[in-house]
Amino acid sequence: MSLDVDVDHVREHFRLTARFSSAPGLTALFGRSGSGKSTLVDIIGGLVRPTRGRVAIDGQVLVDTERGVFVPKHRRRVGYVFQDSRLFPHLSVRNNLLYGRWFARPDGGASSDLASVVKLLDIGPLLDRRPDSLSGGEKQRVAIGRALLAHPRLLLMDEPLASLDEARRAEVLPYIERLRDDAGVPVVYVSHSVAEVARLATTVVILTEGKVTAVGPVLDILPLADTGDAGGVLDATVARHDEAFQLTVLASDAGELQVPRLTAPVGAPVRAYIRARDVMISLRPPEEISALNVLAGRIASIAPSPNGAQADVRLDCNGATLMARVTAKSVQRLALAPGRPVFAVIKSVSFERS
Amino acid sequence: MTAEEWTAVRLSLLVATTATAASLPLGIAVAWLLARGRFWGKSLVDTLVHLPLIMPPVVTGYLLLLTFGRRTPIGAFLADELGIVFSFRWTGAALACAVMGFPLLVRAVRLSIEAVDARLEAAAGTLGANPLWVFATVTLPLSLPGVIAGAILCFAKAMGEFGATITFVSNIPGETQTLPSMIYTLTQIPGGDAGALRLTLISIALSMLALLGSELLARRIGARRTAVA
């Protein structure tokens, strides 16, 4: 599957210019609120007609303003999971799930039947309930199932977790991971949460004030994102569990990481998002220090903050990217400069399960 | 009660039921257009629909006579080609009642369609439903209370319609003499007071039944919705 987007959209005081192609897996549209993410998915889904441009899936044109093509949303086979789940209040959960099947042509797209979707999302016990009696997290799981059962070629998710509290979010996240890995539908996922994007995304498209500022694999792109909560992403596997100290050891390109005990089995892939402000920089390997993780690397670049008091140091640790936020004073004191070999120090307790 | 009075009651029920049933599909369609449509001349359609509500009923009846009378082009065409005759028939009474009840029906349905969350309709669209299916499976079920209210208003209006009916199809016993026309006739003849009173009571009873019925239906739908919540 490939999604090609090249559109301009003008709306009163806002101008959206976006051009990107997405690969299979989960593509995150990432940016602050008001950056045009939702408008962009609305254009892909057919809810908004762009002022100018072209959208195509696998070469099949959905919108082409120059040739006057506009495929209406009900013929696009593009699923949409909304922030406010939008379940039909007059139908049971089962009939909500089956709604799209009345119209779906089962050729191509995700070939999912009710049983497998119910199993994927664990919504069996909810089937005979009414939408209004579900919790926020349950509603979103049903909404995801409903979109899947319409056999979409592409699934759009517009901040599906934004209206949920922390606990509900943690409840739904694993299902989105399963969806990404098992359902075989490419997903375009809108979010303004770095943690969500770090955990879920294969590819990231960063939007800033209506413009695409970066596109690429999450490991390379997320460290560049201009957020208050910058950080680096490491792909790792569970190497072993240290039961005595309730720790899990992860193996990554950058080296071994010790984190609080995970439930994932040995060998399972996990992704660690390391916030820049949790990383210290040392010129020599520190000794007699409480932090358990010390990774060797080299400074790739140093970006001062707008007011000059802090700097985000980008580290290349054996090919993996880490970010460290330090004061301008530390930069000067340690004479940090691109190319200099350093050690990144990360406390194990700074890791949180997301 | 006399046989004549019974005939008038039965005729009124037939006329009102026919008028409501005939205007319901068109009324829902027009309400949908007015609620969700964006087209040129929308306010003109809106005005036309509401005209019978504000015009004197006699004027509406006379306009119907001018349009559907046996000698008018439309009346002649309907009679010769389709075998439908309105003038001085009970069908004409039903037409007059349908026209008079139409604005009430459209108003109620339109308001309830406007209250349906358009975001649900958009969601149905992304699931593959074309606009007609979206209407049938989402908009209409969700606006059902308004449709029922509109239908009952239309029925009640039809049961009580007098001015337009008597102007268009006159007051022929057994054919166009509905309940109100019969009450009017009885008040015009000596010794008709008792009959007029009986029919008045029946009229009141029927109105109350209709109201009660609508209340019960609304409550049942409401209960189903709240059981959900």
Side-chain angles (χ1 to χ4, degrees):
Chain A
M1 194 293 308
S2 72
L3 167 72
D4 298 295
V5 177
D6 175 11
V7 293
D8 291 302
H9 189 64
V10 181
R11 193 183 53 191
E12 286 162 47
H13 305 291
F14 183 76
R15 188 182 174 89
L16 172 72
T17 305
R19 183 191 299 204
F20 68 92
S21 296
S22 88
L26 189 144
T27 303
L29 296 183
F30 175 73
R32 295 167 191 225
S33 46
S35 59
K37 314 179 294 280
S38 294
T39 309
L40 194 50
V41 281
D42 278 354
I43 288 173
I44 300 170
L47 276 70
V48 167
R49 201 185 276 256
T51 316
R52 187 212 68 78
R54 187 172 177 281
V55 177
I57 296 180
D58 285 334
Q60 196 205 331
V61 176
L62 298 181
V63 184
D64 190 337
T65 49
E66 255 161 52
R67 286 175 27 215
V69 179
F70 181 83
V71 179
K73 55 182 175 294
H74 63 274
R75 289 210 212 101
R76 291 197 177 193
R77 306 207 13 240
V78 171
Y80 203 139
V81 178
F82 300 90
Q83 185 178 333
D84 49 342
S85 54
R86 302 198 192 180
L87 299 179
F88 302 125
H90 58 300
L91 300 178
S92 66
V93 166
R94 182 192 305 274
N95 286 333
N96 263 284
L97 287 168
L98 292 175
Y99 186 86
R101 292 183 99 201
W102 298 349
F103 316 104
R105 282 156 298 176
D107 54 310
S111 58
S112 16
D113 58 282
L114 184 63
S116 67
V117 166
V118 163
K119 191 164 161 249
L120 179 81
L121 299 164
D122 278 338
I123 45 181
L126 311 177
L127 283 178
D128 295 319
R129 304 249 302 265
R130 290 271 170 173
D132 303 34
S133 71
L134 304 181
S135 73
E138 289 169 338
K139 275 184 190 164
Q140 283 309 56
R141 272 148 65 195
V142 173
I144 292 169
R146 182 178 71 169
L148 272 182
L149 282 165
H151 299 291
R153 292 181 297 186
L154 171 71
L155 190 60
L156 305 174
M157 303 180 93
D158 185 8
E159 307 227 18
L161 307 179
S163 59
L164 307 180
D165 59 40
E166 207 55 57
R168 298 276 158 259
R169 213 171 284 184
E171 167 202 321
V172 180
L173 264 167
Y175 293 105
I176 299 177
E177 277 181 327
R178 263 156 91 170
L179 166 78
R180 174 195 66 196
D181 300 334
D182 301 342
V185 194
V187 179
V188 171
Y189 187 100
V190 169
S191 180
H192 66 266
S193 149
V194 186
E196 265 172 56
V197 172
R199 175 157 172 186
L200 296 171
T202 322
T203 311
V204 183
V205 176
I206 296 179
L207 275 168
T208 313
E209 286 167 13
K211 286 194 185 60
V212 173
T213 46
V215 186
V218 64
L219 305 189
D220 303 341
I221 296 299
L222 206 54
L224 306 176
D226 166 35
T227 64
D229 200 22
V233 188
L234 286 183
D235 265 337
T237 51
V238 176
R240 61 184 183 278
H241 296 297
D242 182 347
E243 301 296 351
F245 291 107
Q246 292 289 308
L247 292 171
T248 293
V249 180
L250 304 178
S252 77
D253 287 347
E256 281 197 343
L257 278 177
Q258 299 188 53
V259 302
R261 178 74 160 88
L262 300 174
T263 46
V266 171
V270 291
R271 190 173 269 176
Y273 179 66
I274 302 165
R275 285 180 298 243
R277 58 184 154 86
D278 290 334
V279 179
M280 280 189 280
I281 291 179
S282 171
L283 294 180
R284 275 189 296 254
E287 287 161 20
E288 298 184 331
I289 185 173
S290 68
L292 293 175
N293 301 300
V294 178
L295 303 174
R298 195 173 283 279
I299 295 178
S301 63
I302 300 177
S305 64
N307 65 11
Q310 299 178 348
D312 278 345
V313 180
R314 195 165 158 212
L315 306 172
D316 179 347
C317 300
N318 193 23
T321 301
L322 270 186
M323 299 293 285
R325 180 163 295 172
V326 296
T327 56
K329 188 174 181 180
S330 300
V331 173
Q332 199 186 46
R333 219 157 53 92
L334 301 180
L336 301 181
R340 181 134 202 213
V342 292
F343 295 87
V345 182
I346 310 147
K347 292 175 70 162
S348 292
V349 294
S350 65
F351 288 91
E352 290 159 19
R353 302 262 313 126
S354 75
Chain B
M1 246 174 72
T2 66
E4 270 186 318
E5 287 165 17
W6 268 122
T7 309
V9 171
R10 273 203 308 272
L11 184 68
S12 262
L13 286 171
L14 173 68
V15 164
T17 311
T18 310
T20 308
S23 47
L24 202 54
L26 188 66
I28 291 172
V30 170
W32 184 45
L33 274 179
L34 289 176
R36 291 278 192 255
R38 265 178 294 168
F39 56 93
W40 189 87
K42 183 169 158 177
S43 47
L44 188 73
V45 174
D46 199 16
T47 311
L48 273 176
V49 165
H50 282 89
L51 221 46
L53 201 62
I54 39 171
M55 278 197 313
V58 179
V59 173
T60 306
Y62 189 57
L63 283 175
L64 284 171
L65 193 61
L66 291 180
T67 316
F68 294 101
R70 193 68 175 84
R71 289 181 209 289
T72 65
I74 295 178
F77 171 80
L78 286 173
D80 298 343
E81 302 296 326
L82 304 171
I84 301 172
V85 178
F86 286 118
S87 51
F88 307 110
R89 298 279 178 86
W90 74 269
T91 45
L95 176 66
C97 290
V99 169
M100 293 301 288
F102 198 68
L104 298 172
L105 174 69
V106 170
R107 270 185 94 80
V109 178
R110 176 188 180 170
L111 282 176
S112 64
I113 288 180
E114 278 170 350
V116 172
D117 192 344
R119 293 173 309 167
L120 290 177
E121 296 172 349
T126 66
L127 292 165
N130 68 28
L132 215 61
W133 275 113
V134 172
F135 177 73
T137 58
V138 176
T139 319
L140 193 58
L142 287 175
S143 52
L144 207 56
V147 173
I148 290 168
I152 282 168
L153 274 174
C154 183
F155 183 84
K157 176 77 190 169
M159 284 299 289
E161 217 300 308
F162 176 68
T165 311
I166 205 162
T167 312
F168 182 31
V169 293
S170 185
N171 186 0
I172 307 162
E175 187 66 47
T176 64
Q177 191 174 61
T178 56
L179 231 156
S181 313
M182 177 119 198
I183 294 174
Y184 172 72
T185 307
L186 286 171
T187 57
Q188 299 300 304
I189 53 169
D193 296 352
L197 192 64
R198 276 198 299 273
L199 289 181
T200 303
L201 289 175
I202 288 176
S203 187
I204 292 171
L206 284 173
S207 304
M208 285 180 73
L209 264 175
L211 257 173
L212 216 75
S214 79
E215 193 68 24
L216 277 175
L217 265 173
R219 209 174 293 172
R220 267 188 63 182
I221 291 173
R224 218 171 66 202
R225 292 273 154 75
T226 40
V228 163

